[in-house]
Amino acid sequence: MKIFLSFLFIICSLLAFSQKKVIDHTIYNDWRKTEAQNISNDGNYISYEINPHRGDGFLYVYNSSTSKTDSFPRGKEAKFGTNNNYLVFKITPGFDTLRNCELNKVDKKKWPKDTLGIYVFAKDSLIKIPLLKSFSVFEDNDWLSYVVDENEIKTTATKSEKEKQERGGKTSV
């Protein structure tokens, strides 16, 4: 009986060791890392990014008073407002989209632009502003400033005005 139990123990331990995954270059894309951890001034909110080695990551916001976690795909560079009323972050285009633009040798000016995400805690809502170039949050007051690509906005506005004129409609300014 002792020989049978020891033989069974050896077989079980060999099976347990044989289930481990081999670490080589093929699993690097499965690895994830935690980056850009921020804590709000009052300590009620915590933001952090979990990004894969290659691909799109997530921005997470944890509310410590309600134990609720919200996530935003492709969120980067999160910053809290001074009075902890909002969280501002950049929403990048998808990794596959940018990779296709790179492989097809599309001009950098025609690549998809980032989007500004403003998450308002009181309303539990997300405001998105497209064509983002940069943003900053002031330290002394609760102000936010951002710069968008004005040329893109004018181009789309002039196209829509031209389409209305072609159809015979009137445009008002």
Side-chain angles (χ1 to χ4, degrees):
M1 183 69 176
K2 289 182 181 180
I3 295 173
F4 177 72
L5 288 176
S6 61
F7 180 71
L8 185 63
F9 178 72
I10 291 172
I11 295 291
C12 289
S13 62
L14 288 175
L15 288 175
F17 285 117
S18 66
Q19 298 297 321
K20 290 187 178 181
K21 191 172 186 177
V22 177
I23 297 178
D24 60 357
H25 69 282
T26 59
I27 64 165
Y28 290 155
N29 293 340
D30 295 339
W31 290 4
R32 307 219 182 283
K33 57 186 170 182
T34 305
E35 297 177 319
Q37 301 88 0
N38 291 325
I39 299 176
S40 63
N41 293 337
D42 61 359
N44 284 336
Y45 299 100
I46 300 168
S47 73
Y48 56 93
E49 297 174 23
I50 296 183
N51 296 318
H53 175 71
R54 185 175 179 155
D56 297 326
F58 280 86
L59 172 69
Y60 292 94
V61 179
Y62 176 73
N63 185 342
S64 62
S65 59
T66 62
S67 299
K68 181 182 172 187
T69 302
D70 289 320
S71 64
F72 305 101
R74 303 182 324 269
K76 300 263 184 208
E77 302 174 20
K79 294 179 183 175
F80 289 101
T82 306
N83 294 334
N84 307 312
N85 296 331
Y86 59 87
L87 176 74
V88 182
F89 55 94
K90 184 187 297 187
I91 302 171
T92 60
F95 175 78
D96 293 338
T97 304
L98 295 177
R99 182 73 178 143
N100 285 337
C101 289
E102 184 179 359
L103 291 175
N104 294 332
K105 298 180 182 175
V106 175
D107 187 26
K108 288 261 187 183
K109 294 177 183 176
K110 295 182 181 179
W111 282 28
K113 307 286 189 249
D114 295 333
T115 301
L116 180 67
I118 305 171
Y119 182 67
V120 182
F121 295 122
K123 296 182 180 179
D124 193 26
S125 63
L126 178 66
I127 302 168
K128 293 182 180 181
I129 301 170
L131 307 172
L132 177 71
K133 280 190 173 180
S134 65
F135 73 93
S136 64
V137 177
F138 293 94
E139 294 178 11
D140 298 336
N141 50 31
D142 210 20
W143 286 23
L144 162 71
S145 67
Y146 61 89
V147 179
V148 294
D149 194 0
E150 187 177 333
N151 293 336
E152 292 289 329
I153 294 173
K154 284 184 178 178
T155 304
T156 56
T158 55
K159 283 182 183 176
S160 64
E161 288 176 6
K162 286 179 183 178
E163 288 175 1
K164 285 182 181 179
Q165 288 176 355
E166 288 174 2
R167 287 187 241 145
K170 296 181 179 178
T171 59
S172 60
V173 178

